């Protein structure tokens, strides 16, 4: 990270910095009081992933009043995430405190170890105004608000930057530093929020020693603004700056100006957003709470039931049932030979295969003269590949599929110029995908000699299995499958890509 890049972040943390078991890799986002970094686990731990997002809230080099305020923000977020575990809220794995007197700007910082997202709604809207998945994301945001409100909390700062998108495209609410627990009908939040998403009554809020009085309808107003922006690419109130839009909101609340929703707004959403943007808290509360709002949003998206993301294209068996049956019959004759092919070395065609143990001359030997094993380094609920036999040498681990080992956020650089020598499928049985299939090509596709194999994958290792590989074994992608040796799994592997 360059000096200029560090200066642009509220909490500058150099690449490679260690806090707890985590190693900082790159900045993800920076807000008014914190900076979020991508991180990887330097040491494995039970129940924790290999990748996470570290949210640094600095306390060093601050005035006592600022320190108290930052600690309050951190305590609010930790309290909420420690108590609430809901599908539409980002997960928190642990909290840490930096103890580093040599770096006063970091010493004492609170660090939240969070589930790492793939993107944010804010970044998506910058790239693609009015995204195609916008309605589905809004339904999931609304579900997250309902989960919060049902548990007795108000978010207090709903905006695109605080909606995170996971690898599967689903949405999570994040950044609960201004959230507040309800005490009856209202709560008290720090006097801070993003003005574009602040309801008119909070532009000049009621404040006390406990903070700003806030109600759940503040989140409903913010949802209305967010939904209008996602569906039309514009804010619902006129103005080229947040200040101008706040002035327009104040005039609207006083009855001096009418709400003018975009003509691009789908008709099914028009009344929903109008009710969300009612002038007063009382009008919003009378229109709907988040439970009723969620029902209306689900209907607007296209169904009265729970919102579901678009189904992937039907599998090969459903699209071509007759051909699939013929293929299964053909594979039946060679299945036993195929399964055996994973257990023995085949030197004739150069195909790397699953092997029991290497020759003694190839096996790493420890100081006691015994063969050394390193499989124990593979984290729980992970799949691991090693550069040497018996789990020794360099290791790459994943907690799911990877379509290209040599590109993307998680890479296995050493596999680009040397073969894989051993593998450990240490994944969890409750996932329902117990086999680990691996391929020479990216995107789970065959390459080279694999194109001539009855099953066009390089190999497959069953759950809780470990072993050595021999030959020029060079996988470039892997996928968890239902079972290595069932005919269904073989057909799935052959036709899924």
């Amino acid at each position: 990270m360059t000096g200029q890049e560090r200066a642009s972040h509220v909490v500058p943390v150099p690449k490679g910095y260690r806090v707890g078991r985590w190693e900082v890799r790159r900045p993800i986002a920076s807000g008014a009081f914190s900076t979020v970094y991508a991180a990887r686990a330097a040491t494995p731990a039970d129940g924790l992933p290999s990748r996470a997002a570290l949210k640094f809230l600095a306390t060093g080099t601050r005035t006592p009043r600022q320190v108290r305020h930052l600690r309050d923000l951190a305590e609010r977020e930790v309290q909420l995430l420690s108590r609430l575990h809901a599908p539409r809220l980002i997960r928190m794995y642990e909290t840490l405190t930096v103890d580093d007197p040599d770096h006063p700007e970091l010493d004492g910082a609170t660090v939240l170890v969070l589930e790492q997202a793939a993107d944010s709604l804010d970044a998506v809207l910058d790239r693609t105004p009015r995204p195609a998945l916008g309605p589905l994301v809004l339904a999931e945001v609304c579900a997250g608000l309902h989960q919060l409100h049902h548990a007795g909390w108000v978010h207090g700062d709903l905006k695109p930057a605080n909606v995170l998108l996971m690898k599967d495209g689903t949405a999570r609410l994040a950044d609960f530093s201004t959230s507040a627990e309800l005490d009856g009908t209202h709560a008290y939040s720090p006097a801070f929020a993003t003005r574009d998403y602040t309801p008119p009554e909070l532009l000049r809020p009621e404040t006390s020693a406990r903070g700003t009085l806030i109600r759940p309808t503040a989140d409903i107003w913010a949802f209305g603004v967010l939904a209008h922006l996602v569906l039309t690419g514009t804010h619902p109130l006129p103005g080229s700056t947040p200040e101008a839009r706040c002035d327009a909101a104040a005039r609207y609340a006083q009855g001096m100006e009418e709400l003018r929703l975009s003509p691009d707004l789908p008709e099914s959403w028009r009344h929903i957003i109008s009710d969300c943007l009612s002038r007063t808290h009382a009008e919003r509360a009378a229109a709907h709470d988040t439970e009723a709002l969620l029902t209306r949003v689900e209907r607007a998206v296209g169904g009265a039931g729970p919102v579901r993301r678009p189904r992937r294209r039907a599998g090969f068996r459903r699209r071509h049932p007759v051909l699939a049956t013929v293929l299964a019959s053909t594979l039946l004759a060679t299945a036993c030979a195929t399964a055996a092919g994973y257990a023995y070395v085949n030197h004739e065609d150069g195909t790397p295969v699953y092997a029991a143990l290497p020759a003694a001359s190839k096996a790493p030997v420890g100081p006691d003269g015994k063969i050394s094993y390193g499989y124990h380094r593979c984290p729980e609920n992970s799949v691991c590949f090693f550069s040497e036999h018996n789990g020794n040498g360099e290791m790459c681990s994943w907690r799911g599929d990877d379509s290209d080992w040599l590109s993307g956020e998680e890479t296995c650089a050493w596999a680009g110029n040397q073969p894989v020598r051993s593998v450990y499928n240490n994944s969890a049985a409750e996932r329902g995908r117990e086999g680990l299939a691996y391929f020479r090509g990216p995107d789970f596709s065959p390459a080279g000699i694999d194109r001539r194999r009855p099953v066009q994958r390089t190999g497959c290792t069953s759950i809780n299995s470990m072993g050595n590989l021999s030959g020029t074994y060079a996988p470039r992608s892997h996928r968890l499958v239902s079972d290595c040796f069932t005919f269904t799994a073989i057909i799935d592997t052959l036709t899924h890509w």
Side-chain angles (χ1 to χ4, degrees), residues 251-316:
R251 293 194 302 273
Y252 163 66
Q254 295 165 10
M256 300 168 57
E257 192 168 304
E258 293 297 320
L259 189 64
R260 298 183 181 90
L261 300 180
S262 169
D264 295 331
L265 188 65
E267 194 60 35
S268 59
W269 285 85
R270 188 167 296 274
H271 291 298
I272 295 174
I273 293 177
S274 293
D275 287 342
C276 289
L277 300 179
S278 296
R279 285 187 170 92
T280 67
H281 148 72
E283 291 174 343
R284 266 172 264 135
H288 47 218
D289 59 11
T290 50
E291 182 176 7
L293 175 60
L294 179 58
T295 299
R296 295 177 68 184
V297 167
E298 287 176 342
R299 291 194 181 115
V301 170
V307 174
R308 300 185 184 277
R309 306 192 74 76
R311 292 182 178 271
R312 297 181 64 178
R313 188 185 181 195
F316 181 82

Side-chain angles (χ1 to χ4, degrees), residues 170-334:
T170 56
R172 305 275 199 282
L173 298 188
D175 195 350
F176 303 101
S177 56
T178 58
S179 297
E181 189 170 14
L182 289 167
D183 181 6
T185 60
H186 58 271
Y188 293 93
S189 176
F192 173 80
T194 305
R195 294 177 66 80
D196 262 332
Y197 300 86
T198 300
E201 68 269 17
L202 293 182
L203 293 175
R204 295 179 178 84
E206 303 174 40
T207 59
S208 68
R210 298 177 63 184
T212 299
L213 189 148
I214 186 172
R215 299 179 179 89
T217 54
D219 286 343
I220 289 178
W221 171 279
F223 179 80
V225 177
L226 178 71
H228 194 278
L229 182 63
V230 169
L231 296 171
T232 70
T234 63
H235 286 271
L237 291 160
S240 58
T241 65
E243 291 74 17
R245 290 189 287 270
C246 284
D247 289 342
R251 293 194 302 273
Y252 163 66
Q254 295 165 10
M256 300 168 57
E257 192 168 304
E258 293 297 320
L259 189 64
R260 298 183 181 90
L261 300 180
S262 169
D264 295 331
L265 188 65
E267 194 60 35
S268 59
W269 285 85
R270 188 167 296 274
H271 291 298
I272 295 174
I273 293 177
S274 293
D275 287 342
C276 289
L277 300 179
S278 296
R279 285 187 170 92
T280 67
H281 148 72
E283 291 174 343
R284 266 172 264 135
H288 47 218
D289 59 11
T290 50
E291 182 176 7
L293 175 60
L294 179 58
T295 299
R296 295 177 68 184
V297 167
E298 287 176 342
R299 291 194 181 115
V301 170
V307 174
R308 300 185 184 277
R309 306 192 74 76
R311 292 182 178 271
R312 297 181 64 178
R313 188 185 181 195
F316 181 82
R317 291 193 307 279
R318 291 188 178 182
R319 288 184 284 120
H320 306 288
V322 176
L323 184 58
T325 302
V326 173
L327 178 61
S329 300
T330 303
L331 288 174
L332 180 61
T334 58

Side-chain angles (χ1 to χ4, degrees), residues 6 41 71 92 111 146 156-157 277 343 377 395 397 445 494:
R6 292 185 188 183
R71 285 179 178 165
M92 182 179 72
V111 182
H146 177 52
D157 194 24
L277 300 179
R377 297 181 293 150
M395 177 183 78
S397 66
S445 62
L494 185 60

Side-chain angles (χ1 to χ4, degrees), residues 381-383 385 396-402 405 410-412 478:
N381 199 19
S382 300
V383 295
F385 295 84
C396 288
S397 66
W398 292 267
R399 293 177 71 88
D401 303 340
D402 194 314
W405 285 13
E410 294 186 341
T411 61
C412 189
H478 71 268

Side-chain angles (χ1 to χ4, degrees), residues 294-489:
L294 179 58
T295 299
R296 295 177 68 184
V297 167
E298 287 176 342
R299 291 194 181 115
V301 170
V307 174
R308 300 185 184 277
R309 306 192 74 76
R311 292 182 178 271
R312 297 181 64 178
R313 188 185 181 195
F316 181 82
R317 291 193 307 279
R318 291 188 178 182
R319 288 184 284 120
H320 306 288
V322 176
L323 184 58
T325 302
V326 173
L327 178 61
S329 300
T330 303
L331 288 174
L332 180 61
T334 58
C336 293
T338 300
Y342 293 115
Y344 300 98
V345 178
N346 184 343
H347 295 288
E348 295 180 357
D349 64 3
T351 303
V353 296
Y354 208 41
L357 283 174
S361 60
K362 297 181 181 179
V365 177
D368 57 359
K370 297 181 179 180
I371 295 178
S372 173
Y373 293 92
Y375 292 117
H376 63 278
R377 297 181 293 150
C378 184
E380 184 180 5
N381 199 19
S382 300
V383 295
C384 301
F385 295 84
F386 306 88
S387 64
E388 300 296 337
H389 289 122
N390 300 325
N392 293 298
E394 297 186 79
M395 177 183 78
C396 288
S397 66
W398 292 267
R399 293 177 71 88
D401 303 340
D402 194 314
S403 61
D404 191 347
W405 285 13
L406 302 183
S407 67
E409 188 165 327
E410 294 186 341
T411 61
C412 189
W414 58 263
N417 52 31
Q418 59 181 310
V420 172
R421 294 297 189 189
S422 52
V423 59
Y424 182 17
N425 182 358
N426 194 24
S427 56
E430 58 268 20
R431 285 183 175 183
R433 297 190 299 161
E434 300 187 356
L436 170 61
Y438 24 103
F439 308 81
R440 286 180 185 268
D443 299 318
F444 321 114
S445 62
I449 196 67
D450 288 349
R451 295 182 184 277
R452 302 205 308 266
R453 294 166 63 85
V455 176
Q456 297 179 350
R457 61 193 183 197
T458 304
C460 191
T461 301
S462 300
I463 192 168
N464 297 326
S465 296
M466 59 186 74
N468 295 306
L469 309 170
S470 60
T472 56
Y473 213 83
R476 288 295 177 268
S477 59
H478 71 268
R479 166 176 293 170
L480 293 169
V481 296
S482 58
D483 188 356
C484 283
F485 299 117
T486 63
F487 297 130
T488 300

